[in-house]
Amino acid sequence: LIISAHNPEEFGALAWDSYPTLRALMEMCITSQFVFPPPTLTTTPEKSEEVRTQELQLAQLEKQQILEFESRLAAASSKQVITEQSSLLLSTITRMDPLGPLRRPAAGVLDQLKQINSHYKLGHLLCRSRKRDFLLDILQRQGTNQAMPWLADLVESNEG
């Protein structure tokens, strides 16, 4: 994300086009709205619900895969039966598919992203890009009829 903000023409454009979760993080930095799914990605309540439903399905599948993996590990050593309650891995690992569908970042990640964005001004750097105009892309996707309170905040906080 930091590299994308400092080199938006190459890394930023690649991240925007190819990595859905990274794109969502970039939009969160631009709009300073650190919620999932980003309101700028889901322009209708139906789309927002669709993203949430897909994320829940992916999380459930991931949970099953982690439990199966941990069960195989336990079977090889202690023959212990692994459940959601006894799992040591469920709360510590996640399946990473960078090119896959949009995934919900952990709450701690969103808090860290908010701090990093505030400290390094990543959203401002991404907004300044014109070779790949991320801000224009968000505005065009949202349309003129939708309220954009984040835009007023962005203009007000812009230092340059």
Side-chain angles (χ1 to χ4, degrees):
L1 182 59
I2 293 173
I3 293 171
S4 295
H6 284 279
N7 187 346
E9 288 182 35
E10 292 181 35
F11 288 105
L14 179 66
W16 194 261
D17 293 334
S18 303
Y19 301 92
T21 302
L22 184 52
R23 178 184 180 143
L25 298 177
M26 291 168 72
E27 288 198 24
M28 288 177 192
C29 287
I30 290 169
T31 63
S32 293
Q33 293 181 312
F34 300 93
V35 295
F36 183 89
T40 53
L41 275 176
T42 55
T43 54
T44 64
E46 295 81 20
K47 179 68 176 165
S48 183
E49 190 57 37
E50 178 185 325
V51 169
R52 283 189 188 96
T53 301
Q54 181 183 24
E55 166 57 23
L56 286 172
Q57 291 171 346
L58 288 171
Q60 186 61 37
L61 177 63
E62 178 181 272
K63 185 186 296 184
Q64 291 172 351
Q65 291 172 337
I66 292 170
L67 287 172
E68 287 173 19
F69 175 69
E70 192 171 3
S71 294
R72 277 190 245 129
L73 290 175
S77 61
S78 67
K79 308 282 191 246
Q80 181 181 1
V81 176
I82 303 297
T83 65
E84 282 188 43
Q85 291 75 26
S86 65
S87 174
L88 300 174
L89 297 180
L90 271 181
S91 62
T92 59
I93 65 173
T94 187
R95 185 168 179 257
M96 185 62 185
D97 183 8
L99 298 172
L102 176 62
R103 294 300 308 270
R104 174 188 299 274
V109 171
L110 292 180
D111 291 339
Q112 287 177 335
L113 179 62
K114 191 175 189 176
Q115 291 174 347
I116 290 169
N117 187 50
S118 175
H119 187 264
Y120 295 109
K121 308 288 187 211
L122 300 179
H124 290 282
L125 292 172
L126 291 166
C127 284
R128 287 185 181 133
S129 174
R130 291 298 166 256
K131 292 286 183 175
R132 181 60 189 261
D133 200 331
F134 306 114
L135 181 58
L136 181 61
D137 187 39
I138 293 170
L139 293 172
Q140 287 176 337
R141 192 171 352 104
Q142 278 201 289
T144 55
N145 295 334
Q146 190 169 354
M148 294 181 256
W150 60 267
L151 186 57
D153 294 339
L154 178 67
V155 171
E156 186 177 302
S157 68
N158 191 4
E159 298 169 356

